[in-house]
Amino acid sequence: MSSELRLKKLRGSGGYVMATVTDQQQMKGNLGGPDLFLAPMGRLDSQKITKHFCNTCEKEFEGPPKIKYENPNEEVAENLILAEKGQYICNSCNAVIAEYREFRKPNETVEVGSAKPLETSQTTQISQPEPVQVKPEITSATQPGPATTVSSIEGLAVYDENAKIVGKAKQVGIDSNQSVVLLVIKNDGTEGSIPWNSIRKVGEVILLGSPAVAAQLGKCANCGFSNKEGSKFCEECGSKLQ
Ligand SMILES: [Zn+2]
Ligand SMILES: [Zn+2]
């Protein structure tokens, strides 16, 4: 793969920057449309940024914007760590030009588990709406502390297995079966929920639908044996399959 650098316009929610990016970075920033987005690309080397445009100032400035970030290394779900969150900030008026979040999975071979409540540490948090979905009484068994949601994933674009955009992540909640679900604002503005176990990857975007889930069809909830798809009963232990 070529490591050729190209000068590109990278959009954020409050403006854009002009930066030289690698092919790989371009691929990250390409969400399927004609534009490249800063949010999925994470933190760029500010030396690679030549200009920034601030929507608030309605002006283009020479040089990079300020980049402010922190590394909370906060476990927002089982096996899912919010490694870094940052903002590109207008040098002139301090408006936010773009925001990003980087997640990592400490154990790549294991799927992301159920949501954990965020510690309510108020550092330099970006204003986060009050969670409403997770009720304290249903989270007490495995999730001590104040019940809250993985608001760090709020606003991330959600894509299905065909790389079609489904909507935007709203928050993690718990449905009537007490299963962890991802609440999504769909493209048409309505709200929907997606079982947490159908999330394949959470990174700069949320990717759904997965071979992993497909492989679980026929998996026995009792003993874990992988039965043929469509099996009614487990070959190993005889339990009824879902
Ligand atoms: Zn500005
Ligand atoms: Zn079984």
Side-chain angles (χ1 to χ4, degrees):
M1 185 188 264
S2 91
S3 56
E4 197 182 334
L5 292 168
R6 292 193 187 81
L7 184 64
K8 289 284 178 186
K9 182 193 273 191
L10 308 171
R11 291 189 183 282
S13 52
Y16 60 81
V17 304
M18 298 296 294
T20 49
V21 292
T22 62
D23 286 347
Q24 209 187 359
Q25 286 173 316
Q26 280 189 58
M27 276 161 57
K28 272 190 175 180
N30 183 350
L31 299 183
D35 294 323
L36 294 175
F37 292 89
L38 206 41
M41 299 171 69
R43 177 154 47 95
L44 298 179
D45 182 349
S46 59
Q47 291 180 353
K48 300 274 195 297
I49 304 176
T50 57
K51 286 175 181 170
H52 65 286
F53 182 92
C54 169
N55 287 354
T56 309
C57 297
E58 295 185 323
K59 226 177 123 176
E60 190 175 72
F61 300 96
E62 291 298 321
K66 285 180 273 195
I67 301 178
K68 228 169 65 174
Y69 67 94
E70 54 183 286
N71 299 100
N73 285 321
E74 188 167 53
E75 194 173 31
V76 292
E78 205 177 298
N79 196 32
L80 181 66
I81 286 178
L82 174 60
E84 178 167 320
K85 55 182 176 183
Q87 297 178 315
Y88 291 81
I89 293 169
C90 171
N91 263 330
S92 175
C93 75
N94 288 324
V96 175
I97 292 173
E99 286 183 87
Y100 68 89
R101 289 182 171 83
E102 286 174 7
F103 293 88
R104 65 187 163 80
K105 284 166 70 177
N107 184 349
E108 283 292 336
T109 62
V110 172
E111 287 302 303
V112 170
S114 56
K116 273 195 172 178
L118 292 176
E119 295 301 322
T120 46
S121 61
Q122 289 302 320
T123 48
T124 52
Q125 300 261 14
I126 307 146
S127 74
Q128 291 171 338
E130 281 295 307
V132 290
Q133 292 299 321
V134 181
K135 297 192 180 66
E137 61 266 29
I138 49 174
T139 58
S140 54
T142 53
Q143 302 178 329
T148 172
T149 60
V150 185
S151 42
S152 306
I153 65 170
E154 190 193 324
L156 291 184
V158 180
Y159 288 84
D160 70 11
E161 68 273 28
N162 299 314
K164 292 229 172 66
I165 190 153
V166 176
K168 278 200 161 180
K170 189 178 172 215
Q171 62 189 17
V172 172
I174 290 188
D175 70 8
S176 50
N177 300 321
Q178 303 199 9
S179 308
V180 178
V181 293
L182 176 70
L183 298 176
V184 172
I185 309 283
K186 292 192 245 177
N187 295 334
D188 60 8
T190 61
E191 213 174 280
S193 69
I194 292 166
W196 190 257
N197 63 11
S198 65
I199 295 173
R200 183 175 176 190
K201 276 210 157 133
V202 179
E204 290 89 358
V205 300
I206 295 174
L207 192 59
L208 303 177
S210 68
V213 168
Q216 279 170 6
L217 283 173
K219 185 168 178 180
C220 176
N222 183 43
C223 72
F225 184 80
S226 290
N227 294 281
K228 283 196 290 288
E229 204 177 311
S231 303
K232 291 259 187 316
F233 295 91
C234 176
E235 275 178 47
E236 189 69 22
C237 73
S239 295
K240 194 165 191 293
L241 300 173
Q242 302 225 319

